[in-house]
Amino acid sequence: RQENLQAKEAICAELTSVLENTTSSAQQIVDKIKSANLAWHQIGQIPRAQEQQIEKNFQQLLETMQQQVNLLQNQAQQQKSQSVLAKIDICLQLESLLAMPSIEAPKVMALKQAWSVTTLPKSLVSQTLQERFDSACEAVDQLQNNSAKDALLPVPEDDSTRDDILLHLEILLGID
């Protein structure tokens, strides 16, 4: 029974170590929760005097780890939302250049650079934004070459505003 207690204490120490490691990803923590649970339940009985306390410690560690997973997932969702908003703003700024009497090349280059450093996981939203950005870039390039403004893909017929676009993207992303 004493060996079983030591095994459970080792699991608790390992979970504590994972929690102290600030570079652990949400998936790594979830994997550790699963493996710890499996190992925990395979260990036999321990001395009764320590049973309640070690079980309590284990459950608290699991709860803390789950809270950490939730926090990391929320941070990832916020980052994704911020990236979507940034890309929408870049598209709108680029499209607004089309209404200008002349287009400043440095401004276009800055917007293209901002686009390239703003990351977004592959999704329907990112594909739609990429198409809109590419269309705006093509239209700006054609205007800079004294070509027709018609190169831009048509803005949605309802003349979507930034808020309409954001609302649609929030629905797609499942953001409340």
Side-chain angles (χ1 to χ4, degrees), residues 56-73:
K56 181 180 177 184
N57 289 347
F58 181 68
Q59 290 306 318
Q60 286 176 338
L61 284 165
L62 292 180
E63 287 174 19
T64 303
M65 292 179 84
Q66 188 58 53
Q67 290 171 355
Q68 184 67 18
V69 167
N70 293 342
L71 176 67
L72 291 171
Q73 288 174 336

Side-chain angles (χ1 to χ4, degrees), residues 1 3 6-7 11-12 16 20 23 29-30 34 50 52 65 79-80 90 92 94 116-117 125-126 134 164:
R1 286 187 184 222
E3 289 175 4
Q6 289 173 347
I11 290 173
C12 287
T16 300
E20 291 171 350
T23 62
I29 295 172
V30 167
K34 289 177 183 178
Q50 290 94 3
Q52 189 174 12
M65 292 179 84
Q79 179 62 38
K80 183 177 177 181
I90 293 167
L92 293 172
L94 194 57
S116 69
V117 298
V125 172
S126 63
D134 292 344
D164 294 332

Side-chain angles (χ1 to χ4, degrees), residues 12-159:
C12 287
E14 190 176 345
L15 294 180
T16 300
S17 174
V18 170
L19 283 171
E20 291 171 350
N21 180 359
T22 59
T23 62
S24 296
S25 70
Q27 189 58 52
Q28 289 170 325
I29 295 172
V30 167
D31 292 344
K32 185 52 72 179
I33 289 171
K34 289 177 183 178
S35 66
N37 257 318
L38 182 63
W40 188 268
H41 293 295
Q42 290 177 346
I43 297 172
Q45 293 183 343
I46 63 172
R48 288 217 184 272
Q50 290 94 3
E51 188 173 18
Q52 189 174 12
Q53 185 60 45
I54 194 89
E55 286 291 333
K56 181 180 177 184
N57 289 347
F58 181 68
Q59 290 306 318
Q60 286 176 338
L61 284 165
L62 292 180
E63 287 174 19
T64 303
M65 292 179 84
Q66 188 58 53
Q67 290 171 355
Q68 184 67 18
V69 167
N70 293 342
L71 176 67
L72 291 171
Q73 288 174 336
N74 286 340
Q75 289 173 343
Q77 183 62 40
Q78 287 176 346
Q79 179 62 38
K80 183 177 177 181
S81 297
Q82 289 172 349
S83 294
V84 168
L85 293 176
K87 289 209 176 232
I88 289 170
D89 283 338
I90 293 167
C91 283
L92 293 172
Q93 289 179 48
L94 194 57
E95 290 169 346
S96 72
L97 292 177
L98 296 172
M100 301 290 177
S102 65
I103 298 175
E104 301 172 17
K107 176 71 174 172
V108 173
M109 292 302 291
L111 289 170
K112 287 180 178 181
Q113 175 63 25
W115 183 270
S116 69
V117 298
T118 305
T119 59
L120 190 61
K122 291 199 181 287
S123 68
L124 177 60
V125 172
S126 63
Q127 181 181 350
T128 302
L129 284 173
Q130 186 66 51
E131 290 169 359
R132 187 165 181 164
F133 177 77
D134 292 344
S135 176
C137 285
E138 184 178 321
V140 166
D141 291 345
Q142 285 185 1
L143 279 177
Q144 286 178 322
N145 295 327
N146 296 325
S147 298
K149 260 189 183 179
D150 297 334
L152 184 62
L153 287 177
V155 174
E157 292 179 16
D158 60 359
D159 195 28

